[in-house]
Amino acid sequence: MTESVWHARRLTEDKKRRNDHRSPYQRDRARILHSAAFRRLQAKTQVLGVGMNDFYRTRLTHSLEVSQIGTGIRAQLKQKQPQLDHLFDSMSLIESLCLAHDIGHPPYGHGGEVALNYMMRDHGGFEGNGQTFRILSRLEPYTEFYGMNLCRRSLLGILKYPAPYSSLHQTSSSQPVNNIRQLKPSEWPPVKGIFDDDIEILDWVLSPLSDNDRQKFLSHQDIHGQQHKRTRYKSLDCSVMELADDIAYAVHDLEDAIVMGIVNQEQWQEDVGSKLACSEDTWIRAEFGSIGNKLFSSKHHLRKDAIGTLVNGFVTAIDIRLNTDFEENLLRYNAGLDESFSEALEILKQFVFKYVIRKPEIQMLEYKGQQIVMELFEAFESDPERLLPINTQERWRDSRDEGLNSHRVIADYISGMTDEFAARLHQQLFSPNAGSMIEFNREL
């Protein structure tokens, strides 16, 4: 496939800017970095709530760390498999994907995501990755109708779940709740895919592919224990971004938990150290057998050294694999972790999930955010032309008049809010003592 096809943008641009010699992906990175959607990540929950402490990670700092790890993976692959270096374009492409990967996540993390998904259950659902694709390709006002108007390859790379909602959704046996306070997230999991409202953009991204590649790339399967179907494949660039995201989640969120005293060394030894002492990999056996002493040391530099060691261990255990079922090189090749390191990363992720994500105090924050988001949605849905900001009202009316999904406009508006903005707006609507909120009318 020619390079120019993947450099193409939906809206043809002819920007005559003086002495601008940037590559297409350097331009994409700049559009992401300078977007309002990216800036708002500084005030969105990663794991621990924004405002609880000024030390730990937000969605913004997480995204920056994912970008750093992603470029580290790219540099390692160039050293390990130089014969495949032609598969990659500029380093700016991987940076762009890593910086943008969480841009569609709503306020209050998973709580906000489940809340919007439930409120959109009859209108195409909601999911953070689908919203990321939508912001990049349609919503962010860099252009009037084409979002940031990124290159086709950038949009292909952001597709963690490249299939439309309607092909992945499976009807739940759960009945809608009588009161939104009763909603259980486990009963309303989001469909991980692209919204049906954006299918024509997905079609444009995949249009260079052969019929065989397209059909296979869009294919999906049932996953044991999961309600909805899951896609099976992703592009080369996306596989690098996803590995960087997983490493950042498992290692850096672990660091936050250690520093905040949420986990202790005994828990680490029982759930991680003892399991990885039996690893088939000699490096894993040796490092994980002793690294707990550094991780939980009172000397900060030892902990930082241990965190760096873990990240380096995972990054250097990645290589590129071949899938001969595809014709297009961007699909034929994927980055993957060595099996022993993949098992170790999964154990780390489960440790963070068990002791951090599922911690009752964290779940209370998630529950509170869930309620705020659902109550905001209820209010806007009840009378959009009265309560939505003027510009959003216009989008809502245009969508309704054109026979499109006007509920998606409400989901777009709420998902763009920061945690603090959503909380203040909720207070403005439902607290009798709340003051005026002039800022409400600013465009999100």
Side-chain angles (χ1 to χ4, degrees), residues 131-328:
Q131 190 68 15
T132 293
F133 183 77
R134 184 170 172 81
I135 288 171
L136 297 177
S137 62
R138 189 190 291 276
L139 298 180
E140 182 67 27
Y142 183 86
T143 63
E144 189 172 5
F145 301 113
Y146 298 87
M148 296 187 202
N149 197 35
L150 302 182
C151 293
R152 179 184 267 117
R153 182 166 174 176
S154 295
L155 291 177
L156 177 71
I158 210 71
L159 288 171
K160 288 178 71 172
Y161 308 103
Y165 172 94
S166 52
S167 67
L168 303 170
H169 177 264
Q170 299 196 108
T171 305
S172 169
S173 59
S174 301
Q175 295 299 310
V177 294
N178 295 321
N179 186 309
I180 56 176
R181 298 196 188 283
Q182 300 171 341
L183 184 74
K184 295 180 179 178
S186 60
E187 295 178 358
W188 296 93
V191 172
K192 292 186 179 295
I194 300 303
F195 306 137
D196 286 8
D197 305 289
D198 301 319
I199 284 179
E200 82 279 7
I201 306 174
L202 177 65
D203 287 342
W204 178 84
V205 173
L206 303 184
S207 59
L209 301 180
S210 68
D211 289 343
N212 176 68
D213 276 6
R214 176 187 166 86
Q215 186 175 353
K216 193 167 187 64
F217 192 57
L218 290 169
S219 66
H220 40 73
Q221 60 189 346
D222 288 309
I223 302 293
H224 178 70
Q226 300 288 322
Q227 179 186 322
H228 303 299
K229 296 177 181 178
R230 282 287 184 92
T231 55
R232 302 169 62 200
Y233 303 104
K234 55 183 62 67
S235 70
L236 169 64
D237 305 319
C238 185
S239 68
V240 173
M241 177 266 284
E242 191 169 45
L243 283 169
D245 187 22
D246 283 351
I247 293 168
Y249 166 78
V251 179
H252 289 138
D253 288 353
L254 167 68
E255 181 183 13
D256 280 358
I258 292 170
V259 173
M260 297 299 293
I262 293 173
V263 295
N264 59 48
Q265 191 166 356
E266 288 71 30
Q267 293 165 333
W268 165 270
Q269 186 55 36
E270 181 179 345
D271 284 64
V272 180
S274 61
K275 293 178 181 177
L276 294 179
C278 305
S279 172
E280 294 182 4
D281 185 89
T282 54
W283 187 91
I284 292 176
R285 285 202 308 272
E287 284 295 335
F288 280 90
S290 61
I291 206 167
N293 295 327
K294 288 185 176 181
L295 284 172
F296 293 90
S297 172
S298 58
K299 296 181 178 179
H300 297 327
H301 72 280
L302 292 178
R303 184 184 67 250
K304 294 303 296 185
D305 180 62
I307 292 295
T309 297
L310 289 177
V311 171
N312 174 262
F314 288 117
V315 167
T316 54
I318 295 171
D319 55 22
I320 300 174
R321 289 87 183 272
L322 174 66
N323 183 343
T324 56
D325 291 342
F326 287 105
E327 301 161 34
E328 167 56 52

Side-chain angles (χ1 to χ4, degrees), residues 15 86 112 118 126 136 147 154-155 201 208 219 226 243 276 279 292 305 309 331 334 362 373 380 395 397 401 437:
K15 297 182 185 293
H86 66 279
Y118 178 75
F126 180 89
L136 297 177
S154 295
L155 291 177
I201 306 174
S219 66
Q226 300 288 322
L243 283 169
L276 294 179
S279 172
D305 180 62
T309 297
L331 308 184
N334 264 201
I362 302 298
V373 168
F380 294 134
R395 280 190 61 222
R397 276 193 295 271
D401 294 346
M437 192 172 176

Side-chain angles (χ1 to χ4, degrees), residues 60-76:
L60 180 66
T61 57
H62 164 74
S63 298
L64 293 172
E65 288 175 334
V66 173
S67 179
Q68 191 276 325
I69 294 172
T71 55
I73 293 172
R74 169 72 183 86
Q76 278 290 326

